[in-house]
């Protein structure tokens, strides 16, 4: 008590805090409603430091053209929460699955020229998610970089492998027996994966190893890709700086 009163008096008078009587060692337990504890935290730094957690790797992308008006919010360190509205039911379903299995928080709002067809909407959403991913990753310091996943869905099995290298490339070995799934043209799925890889800086290989049902094949591709990217963007506690021998990606 004597030390506290002496310190308070010195601070009021603008004198340096010297010659204060010694007191017993005390470990303050800071609480918002405890003024004395907060005083000692400010004065001496306290015995317990308030630690800040790692910053969330998140980004917002807004992109407007004559064909689409898109807003994407992406958090790579999320829990798989999604809020998707593109105007294409099956596409929304795939993006929800992508978010869930990648553990990315993903919000997508897209108004596209669906009266023309779905191509612009699907491709431009891929562009925006890719841009958001690249922005959230920054210089990629400390990430694992590589990831792969096999995902079965009933009779279908798909494999995805990714290198987050900033040297974009897509290998797409996926064939469909039907031209549409739901109301969506199956040829548009390659466009989405290509747009994602090119704009996120991914070397991405997606393969359907076997399968018959078109829905199962494409959904397992989305889930495998999400799992592979999830592994690649994960922070590696043993990796300091760039995950490249060049020193930069």
């Amino acid at each position: 008590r004597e030390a506290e009163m002496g310190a308070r008096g010195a601070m009021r008078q603008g004198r340096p805090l010297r010659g204060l009587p010694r007191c017993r060692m005390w470990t303050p337990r800071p609480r918002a409603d405890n003024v004395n504890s907060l005083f000692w935290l400010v004065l001496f730094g306290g015995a317990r430091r308030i630690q800040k957690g790692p910053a969330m790797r998140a980004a917002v992308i807004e992109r407007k053209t004559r064909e689409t008006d898109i807003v994407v919010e992406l958090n790579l360190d999320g829990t798989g929460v999604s809020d998707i509205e593109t105007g294409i039911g099956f596409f929304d379903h795939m993006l929800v699955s992508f978010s869930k299995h990648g553990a990315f928080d993903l919000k997508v709002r897209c108004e596209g020229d669906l009266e023309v067809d779905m191509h612009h909407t699907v491709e431009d959403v891929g562009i925006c998610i890719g841009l958001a991913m690249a922005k959230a990753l920054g210089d990629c310091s400390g990430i694992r970089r590589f990831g792969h996943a096999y995902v079965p869905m009933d009779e279908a099995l798909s494999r995805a492998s990714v290198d987050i290298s900033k040297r974009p490339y897509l290998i797409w070995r996926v064939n469909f027996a039907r031209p549409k799934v739901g109301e969506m043209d199956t040829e548009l799925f390659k466009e989405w994966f290509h747009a994602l890889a090119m704009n996120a800086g991914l070397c991405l290989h997606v393969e359907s190893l076997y399968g018959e049902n078109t829905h199962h094949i494409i959904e397992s591709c989305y889930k495998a890709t999400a799992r592979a990217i999830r592994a690649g963007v994960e922070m590696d506690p043993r990796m300091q700086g760039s995950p490249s021998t060049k020193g930069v990606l």
Side-chain angles (χ1 to χ4, degrees):
R1 179 66 177 172
E2 184 179 355
E4 180 180 344
M5 292 181 65
R8 289 183 186 275
M11 292 178 69
R12 282 197 299 269
Q13 297 171 22
R15 293 185 286 107
L17 302 179
R18 296 171 183 163
L20 296 180
R22 293 191 178 185
C23 57
R24 293 181 181 180
M25 184 178 293
W26 174 56
T27 302
R29 298 175 179 268
R31 293 177 54 188
D33 59 347
N34 191 326
V35 176
N36 289 328
S37 294
L38 291 176
F39 169 78
W40 284 102
L41 279 173
V42 172
L43 185 59
F44 296 113
R48 297 182 181 180
R49 294 182 179 180
I50 300 174
Q51 298 289 342
K52 290 185 178 181
M56 288 291 186
R57 296 174 297 167
V60 177
I61 296 294
E62 298 181 7
R63 185 175 186 268
K64 186 173 184 178
T65 71
R66 293 179 180 178
E67 298 166 344
T68 57
D69 186 355
I70 301 173
V71 178
V72 165
E73 299 177 14
L74 175 69
N75 179 3
L76 295 178
D77 300 309
T79 58
V81 176
S82 61
D83 183 5
I84 314 293
E85 291 182 13
T86 68
I88 306 172
F90 189 83
F91 186 40
D92 288 358
H93 176 48
M94 292 299 99
L95 294 180
V96 169
S97 184
F98 180 75
S99 168
K100 182 67 174 180
H101 293 280
F104 316 131
D105 291 347
L106 178 64
K107 181 177 180 179
V108 178
R109 290 290 183 273
C110 176
E111 295 182 6
D113 56 353
L114 296 179
E115 71 280 2
V116 176
D117 67 8
M118 301 176 187
H119 187 284
H120 299 145
T121 292
V122 173
E123 182 178 31
D124 288 5
V125 167
I127 290 171
C128 291
I129 294 176
L131 291 173
M133 190 170 294
K135 185 177 180 180
L137 283 168
D139 65 2
C140 298
S141 292
I143 65 169
R144 295 192 184 278
R145 177 175 167 179
F146 299 96
H148 73 276
Y150 288 79
V151 171
M153 188 169 184
D154 294 348
E155 87 298 340
L157 178 66
S158 296
R159 173 174 62 200
S161 303
V162 68
D163 174 12
I164 304 172
S165 61
K166 295 191 177 180
R167 298 192 307 275
Y169 203 91
L170 175 68
I171 294 293
W172 177 258
R173 294 180 178 173
V174 184
N175 295 308
F176 303 106
R178 293 166 50 195
K180 286 182 177 290
V181 56
E183 75 279 23
M184 188 170 173
D185 296 331
T186 52
E187 67 180 7
L188 295 180
F189 293 116
K190 181 180 179 181
E191 301 301 325
W192 184 85
F193 279 88
H194 183 268
L196 175 72
M198 295 302 109
N199 290 276
L202 310 178
C203 176
L204 177 62
H205 293 230
V206 183
E207 302 168 89
S208 171
L209 301 180
Y210 46 80
E212 299 175 4
N213 183 282
T214 300
H215 187 140
H216 295 167
I217 291 171
I218 191 56
E219 186 165 347
S220 64
C221 287
Y222 268 92
K223 289 177 178 178
T225 300
R227 286 278 173 175
I229 295 175
R230 176 179 176 176
V233 302
E234 185 179 35
M235 299 303 295
D236 185 349
R238 298 172 61 192
M239 179 63 66
Q240 300 297 320
S242 174
S244 171
T245 55
K246 296 190 295 290
V248 65
L249 289 177

